[in-house]
Amino acid sequence: MKLFNWNASALVVAGSLTMLLSACGTTKNFAVDSNPKGALVVAKAKEGYPIVKGATVYRDTPLCETPTTLPITFMADTTKATLIAEKRGYTSASYDLDKTSAETVHFALQKIDGVPESTFDKNDLPSAEFSLLPLHVEVHVRSGVGRLDSLDISPEASQKAMDELTAEVLKSLDGNKSHIHPAAIDAPLKTDWKALTPDFNKYVLKLDANRLPYYSLPPYITTNVEGFGSFLGRLGSQQGNDKPYLLYVWSKCITETTGRQVGNVLFSLLGAATAGYSQAAGTGFHHIYDPSAFAPDSGTLVMMCVIDAKTSEVVHIEQRVFPDITDEDALKAMASAISTFPAAAAKKE
């Protein structure tokens, strides 16, 4: 998972530093398995920041399914690592490790009654139909250089970008006879949706796209966002909202002031700052652990979230990066990606 404001040189330095640190610590190869097999192994940040599979663990990091072998480097006697096993329909389990631990790790997962093990198959996306919820756009303005650097949300710029993006998406959907249909939302529902949005975003943004099929319990929005169940019921009762899935699009745009751009040129920082972003943007899909923390010099992060319209389960999340959508061409490119979802995504996989 790449940081957007790192350039290629920074990534090389970070990789070299990790290899150097690995050479200084104690590395052990752990054979990791579970009953049942096929559980996702997640490394959790602990004291001393262990190095797992060649990468320093600073936060919860999904690794691979069981069975597997994981090399873990302990930098000191106090360095610890914790592995978590997750599988849908089973309680999660954790295992604490240090440099003295035996090199065999086995998770005995307990079945949760009433929770099915089956999960959503993303191969079903191309044939699915969606009701598109209102788009969410945040525009944050970055100004100043160096110690004077600041990043502040602009309600006016956010509303303008949201209105323009919505108009562009609707125009594209109307012309394409798409399988995506704008949700019919009357005035009372719009008011309720606006009130729900903060808690809705808070819950959805903390979900890890890689862990969605493995969470012990399905990520139901109705059990985590008060009032969403009532909203979902009334939404489904309105004519035209009979599609099996909801599509929610959240985006965060970072735009620079002209003064900052000039300042960057004067300080010869612009080339290095944008090189890392351009490289990242060219790779297509990205998964950002915390979407709300997305903060390159400029650019737009988009999260497309698929929700089961009957159960409220979040079944699929994709993220993409675009240039600053206060630029007309970038906004049109983003609108096209939304209106052709998931076709645009399939080409990237």
Side-chain angles (χ1 to χ4, degrees):
M1 298 177 188
K2 189 179 296 181
L3 294 177
F4 290 89
N5 55 349
W6 282 28
N7 57 31
S9 298
L11 292 172
V12 171
V13 171
S16 300
L17 181 59
T18 297
M19 288 189 290
L20 179 62
L21 291 174
S22 297
C24 299
T26 300
T27 300
K28 303 183 73 171
N29 291 308
F30 291 91
V32 184
D33 205 349
S34 66
N35 183 25
K37 299 182 185 299
L40 177 68
V41 180
V42 179
K44 192 174 184 65
K46 296 291 285 186
E47 180 182 354
Y49 299 114
I51 298 173
V52 181
K53 294 186 70 175
T56 303
V57 177
Y58 295 106
R59 50 174 171 74
D60 291 3
T61 305
L63 299 172
C64 51
E65 289 188 349
T66 59
T68 187
T69 299
L70 294 177
I72 301 179
T73 300
F74 302 92
M75 298 307 303
D77 292 341
T78 57
T79 302
K80 301 182 185 302
T82 294
L83 300 181
I84 301 171
E86 297 178 330
K87 187 174 177 65
R88 178 62 57 83
Y90 293 82
T91 57
S92 61
S94 63
Y95 210 108
D96 294 325
L97 302 170
D98 59 30
K99 63 187 298 183
T100 66
S101 299
E103 296 183 20
T104 299
V105 176
H106 187 271
F107 295 100
L109 306 180
Q110 303 299 313
K111 187 75 176 72
I112 302 175
D113 292 338
V115 179
E117 297 179 41
S118 59
T119 57
F120 178 78
D121 185 352
K122 69 177 182 180
N123 292 321
D124 293 336
L125 282 174
S127 60
E129 286 195 288
F130 308 88
S131 291
L132 179 65
L133 292 171
L135 306 180
H136 180 88
V137 180
E138 296 178 7
V139 175
H140 297 248
V141 179
R142 186 180 289 282
S143 59
V145 178
R147 295 177 64 182
L148 298 178
D149 177 87
S150 65
L151 185 63
D152 302 290
I153 190 169
S154 169
E156 296 80 11
S158 298
Q159 188 63 53
K160 181 175 183 293
M162 186 155 50
D163 291 343
E164 292 176 351
L165 181 64
T166 299
E168 195 66 35
V169 169
L170 292 179
K171 182 171 69 174
S172 181
L173 291 178
D174 183 58
N176 291 340
K177 295 183 179 179
S178 176
H179 54 295
I180 300 175
H181 310 268
I185 300 181
D186 58 20
L189 271 181
K190 284 183 180 179
T191 300
D192 290 348
W193 172 251
K194 188 174 182 180
L196 285 170
T197 298
D199 288 341
F200 180 91
N201 284 339
K202 183 178 180 180
Y203 175 68
V204 171
L205 293 181
K206 73 179 182 181
L207 295 175
D208 187 322
N210 298 310
R211 296 168 73 177
L212 274 184
Y214 300 95
Y215 286 131
S216 294
L217 299 175
Y220 295 127
I221 299 177
T222 50
T223 59
N224 292 277
V225 179
E226 186 176 356
F228 188 77
S230 173
F231 171 85
L232 192 61
R234 288 184 293 131
L235 179 71
S237 67
Q238 296 207 2
Q239 187 174 0
N241 294 341
D242 56 350
K243 308 304 178 287
Y245 297 103
L246 305 176
L247 178 61
Y248 176 64
V249 180
W250 177 96
S251 59
K252 179 179 180 180
C253 170
I254 309 296
T255 186
E256 292 183 288
T257 62
T258 302
R260 175 181 166 83
Q261 293 174 358
V262 172
N264 274 333
V265 171
L266 292 175
F267 284 97
S268 301
L269 295 176
L270 185 59
T274 58
Y277 169 70
S278 299
Q279 181 184 30
T283 62
F285 293 103
H286 301 265
H287 176 247
I288 308 303
Y289 182 74
D290 180 2
S292 62
F294 175 75
D297 287 327
S298 68
T300 305
L301 173 67
V302 181
M303 183 181 77
M304 301 181 188
C305 177
V306 178
I307 304 162
D308 188 304
K310 290 185 178 179
T311 67
S312 83
E313 179 184 352
V314 180
V315 297
H316 185 72
I317 293 175
E318 287 179 3
Q319 295 179 351
R320 294 193 66 186
V321 176
F322 292 86
D324 174 0
I325 60 167
T326 60
D327 173 79
E328 182 180 358
D329 290 339
L331 184 138
K332 287 184 176 181
M334 179 170 151
S336 176
I338 294 171
S339 63
T340 56
F341 176 86
K347 294 178 182 179
K348 295 289 184 178
E349 294 179 353

